[in-house]
Amino acid sequence: MGETEQRPTAGSRLGAQENAGISTLEHGQKPPMTPPGKLVSIKIQMLDDTQETFDIPQRAPGKVLHDAVCNHLNLVEGDYFGLEFPDHKKMMVWLDLLKPVMKQIRRPKHVVVKFVVKFFPPDHAQLQEELTRYLFALQVKQDLAQGRLTCNDTSTALLISHIVQSEIGDFDETIDREHLAKNKYIPHQEALEDKIMEFHRNHMGQTPAESDFQLLEIARRLEMYGIRLHPAKDREGTKINLAVANTGILVFQGHTKINAFNWAKVRKLSFKRKRFLIKLRPDVNSSFQDTLEFLMASRDFCKSFWKICVEHHAFFRLFEEPKPKPKPVLFSRGSSFRFSGRTQKQVLDYVKEGGHKKVQFERKHSKIHSIRSLTAQPSEQHTEVPKQSARAYGDNNDAAAVQSCRQGKELKASTEDTGQHKSPSLKKSPKEGRKVDGAVVSTVEEEEEPAKDRMQQNRPQSQQPSTAGSLTGSPHLSELSINSQGGPSVANMTLSPNLSPDAKQSSPLVSPLLNDPSCIRADDEEEVKRKRFPTEKAYFMAKEVATTERTYLKDLEVITSWFQSAVSKEDCMPETLKNLIFSNFEPLHKFHTGFLKEIEQRLVLWEGRSNAQIKGDYQRIGDVMLKNIQSMKQLTVHLRKHNEILMELENGIKNSRKLETFCRDFELQKVCYLPLNTFLLRPLHRLMHYKQIMERLCKHYPPSHIDFRDSRAALAEISEMVAQLHGNMIKMENFQKLHELKKDLIGMDNLVIPGREFIRLGSLSKLSGKGLQQRMFFLFNDILLYTSRGLTASNQFKVHGHLPLYGMTMEESEEEWGVPHCLTLRGQHQSIVVAASTRAEMDKWTEDIQMAIDLAEKSSGPAPELLASSPPDNKDPLSVSDCSSLPAGLISDQRPVSISYVCWYRMQSLSFYDILQSNENQLSGNLLRKFKNSNGWQKLWVVFTNFCMFFYKSHQDNHPLASLPLLGYSLTLPSESENIHKDYVFKLHFKSHVYYFRAESEYTFERWMEVIRSATSSASRPRALSHKEPHAY
């Protein structure tokens, strides 16, 4: 009985060598000892519908059988898979790897055990082996056939088209119809056959491995992917279904997800008879706990689901297999069940370290005669990633991406031979992209195409770092997703930012001018107008210089015209200070007025709207930039005066109450849409913009281009100017930020002192006697302040306390306090416990606080006492609900709120590096805007700066009509269900507020995406400030 060598095994069927590896063993570990005794035959049904028989000893645990199956398949990542079988009550259960098989399968001759996928990772790029992805693809095929994976007809047809491509290769109508007639992938398949073949037609040249990858890319975005429903009832007796996934526990009503409990929120899972209990952690903004109760059909059903939840939590959340609990001496209480096997992290590390032997395999259902070795680098033809990918935005997880299939365009992956593997990048059209992930900062490039092919250009490439442990050659897709948190979220969940207490507050109405139907331009008219202009990328770069120069000139006029006019009417400023400011800004304004005129004249010639007949000489911008940048160098003497201007103005405000009142009143005027000091720093910011534009232009031009030489010379000139002034600009930016924060705080005596450097501000929860209470924290290089929202009309923050960083220690304390993302900060005289809203936020704070502690330790000693008298934190009666809330949508007819105020209500944080980046990522130009429920597109002049979008009717307006702070907003692309059938459209949404914006070209679309992304997600950053270069004033 049981000579396994005599029958064909799974491994031999796949063409593999015998005993190539054990799936669940660490590197260098030996297979488990097989208990001696009589052998028993167990029938295993594989994912390719074949059956294999394995002989195991009677007393062998389930792990022996699982390892035997993985060994015969030569499956390295076998931990994602499990064995399930019907028990004596005909209920499908998972084989326990620790218990003897015969105690679980009472009648093995009459039972067929199924080898299926048990753990579905959030991203299939985490699956390192092609064989593993092939088996996952077979599981998706099986779930489709059984009706377990439900989705709309378009997604279903797209999934099947990839299955067909992997099985029969490229499209042939006759072969396709014969194959679909013989193979039924879903019930009632006949109605979708034409759509399946339409999609299959666009998969030309796609290999089976790429088909598997695309199949999983589409499937993983469907709501029912990897979901097994378990019937239950809630406390009201409503019928629901429970399920468990990599993210946590899900609640369904029918096949619609109605709730989800992330693992980070779950404190304890238990069951009592038929009741399944979920005990949640206290919410960050409240101190109460909650226990949810669900009623299941029987105790066995309840216990089975509880076991599955325990296993999923351990596999996806733990770093290593949990240790067994010691056996009780007298009696046991509760179940002794625990997860057995490697966690996902251990599997990824094992494969990454190369602790396995890669082998060849052959696909059973595929008629394509090619065997790919897992050890070989992919050939050039195999690096082509399939032509479409899944499309899912927001809650529409069933909407698959089919646009690229209709266009028949290919997305090609490119790899760089740098000694370190990078994921292949994809060429995507703007309409085909998916959510842009804050965890990933994508660099978008564009390839120039002839004008006649403008609507079918190659897609912009976005490059993403590969998943940890990924193998070279894995066809990874770029994840275009941005969340407001700016970092990787748990199990690829996008966590909504927590906003003001009044969650139901509606957005204030925008001004009538913004909603005036007469402002709406017909789409056809806009299309006709657009075609009159050039389509070269260099033209749109030159146009960006012009549009941003218009905004810069308006910003200069705030000082040279509006501020100067107001000063002349009031006797509040010393003559020396007047001369210092205006004598240095007026030459800049005069120069840039001529510069803008020259750029606009060049654009007129470029567009062919003049009588000039010499076409080639005017289709460039480098010569204009070189000439003016060389002239600009003569103005460096004025730029160097800005440091003195800023300091003298602040000293004047400090010494004169009349000047302080005057400057505060001027900042309340509509024309002063930013803090006054920001306008004083604009000339230095503008140098950074010139440098960025010239870098893009030089990168775009080939060396043989007529404009390349002038562009490169202009880049060298502006780079020299930036290098001379950059260090001074950082010091001034820090000085300005300290003074801005001084206005936001109540209870501070001398925030601005020599040597103090701002590092980060943001909202955290502080643990006190009342529980978790929201506080606003301000981190500097020597001190940490914590405040709460005051009740003043000026939206200031009241200082509650401070911790000197000298001698401070920091440690994570989630387990000690039972609060997720929790830190304990221990000072020399005081300790506090704080919690962040997400793991990503906690990591940012941890990094910056540790950097600040290091800076403080290297300084001469502890910081001086800074606080004015204020009540201690635990006696302050103020609560969060006492404060008015921040509008989530457009803000009209008023000055935009401060950055600190936005961070408070949207639970965000900002570092000094983020602020420096925002100064470089400024943009302006025309955009078409559409509201969620409106029909037409409204043309507006939009200025993006200071983490906010400002809206004007035209670029000639002196002040914005409305503003939209973007911190906390998500930047995505519209899905198919939103019926935005236009090119170059992006979407901004926060809770119920949704805005669509449409750019005029692919280049401008990419630029708007790039700069807005910088405001909606924090980039990974180097240390922004060095302790060797303190800011001296």
Side-chain angles (χ1 to χ4, degrees), residues 43-79:
K43 287 180 285 186
I44 305 292
Q45 181 170 324
M46 301 296 181
L47 283 165
D48 57 5
D49 296 328
T50 61
Q51 283 191 9
E52 302 291 338
T53 302
F54 295 87
D55 297 329
I56 61 172
Q58 277 187 327
R59 291 185 293 170
K63 181 176 173 61
V64 171
L65 179 60
H66 184 270
D67 286 347
V69 177
C70 294
N71 187 25
H72 280 276
L73 289 171
N74 295 288
L75 181 59
V76 176
E77 299 169 299
D79 303 82

Side-chain angles (χ1 to χ4, degrees), residues 246-447:
N246 55 78
T247 57
I249 299 172
L250 312 177
V251 183
F252 287 81
Q253 202 157 37
H255 287 80
T256 303
K257 184 170 69 174
I258 60 174
N259 208 344
F261 304 102
N262 195 281
W263 292 127
K265 298 180 180 179
V266 177
R267 185 174 183 182
K268 183 180 180 181
L269 295 175
S270 59
F271 70 96
K272 188 174 183 180
R273 297 184 179 90
K274 297 192 295 183
R275 290 182 298 149
F276 181 73
L277 306 173
I278 305 176
K279 190 173 185 179
L280 300 177
R281 295 186 184 276
D283 188 74
V284 175
N285 292 319
S286 62
S287 57
F288 68 90
Q289 298 183 8
D290 196 8
T291 301
L292 303 174
E293 181 178 315
F294 300 94
L295 190 66
M296 307 195 81
S298 66
R299 181 185 181 278
D300 289 342
F301 271 105
C302 196
K303 184 176 182 179
S304 175
F305 181 66
W306 173 78
K307 285 183 176 181
I308 298 170
C309 293
V310 170
E311 291 179 316
H312 273 73
H313 176 269
F315 183 77
F316 288 108
R317 295 280 287 181
L318 301 185
F319 289 154
E320 58 184 16
E321 178 183 355
K323 302 292 188 296
K325 295 180 180 180
K327 292 185 178 180
V329 179
L330 298 177
F331 59 89
S332 62
R333 182 181 179 183
S335 174
S336 61
F337 175 78
R338 68 180 177 88
F339 170 74
S340 175
R342 294 182 301 192
T343 64
Q344 186 188 31
K345 183 181 184 302
Q346 289 176 309
V347 176
L348 292 173
D349 292 344
Y350 174 70
V351 180
K352 181 180 180 181
E353 293 167 3
H356 60 283
K357 183 177 180 180
K358 301 175 185 178
V359 295
Q360 297 178 342
F361 74 95
E362 190 171 8
R363 299 162 183 268
K364 175 177 180 292
H365 297 286
S366 179
K367 298 179 182 179
I368 306 173
H369 301 291
S370 64
I371 302 175
R372 292 184 63 182
S373 172
L374 297 181
T375 59
Q377 294 287 347
S379 64
E380 184 177 354
Q381 67 184 36
H382 288 158
T383 60
E384 292 185 3
V385 178
K387 291 163 280 295
Q388 72 284 325
S389 59
R391 184 175 191 141
Y393 307 99
D395 299 327
N396 185 20
N397 291 336
D398 279 354
V402 298
Q403 184 72 16
S404 58
C405 297
R406 295 169 186 159
Q407 294 177 353
K409 302 295 289 182
E410 293 186 356
L411 307 177
K412 296 187 178 180
S414 63
T415 56
E416 296 183 14
D417 186 16
T418 60
Q420 176 181 353
H421 173 61
K422 294 185 179 180
S423 290
S425 58
L426 293 183
K427 295 181 180 178
K428 288 175 76 69
S429 76
K431 292 189 70 175
E432 293 172 295
R434 297 179 306 281
K435 248 188 177 181
V436 185
D437 190 5
V440 178
V441 181
S442 303
T443 304
V444 183
E445 299 288 342
E446 178 186 356
E447 294 185 3

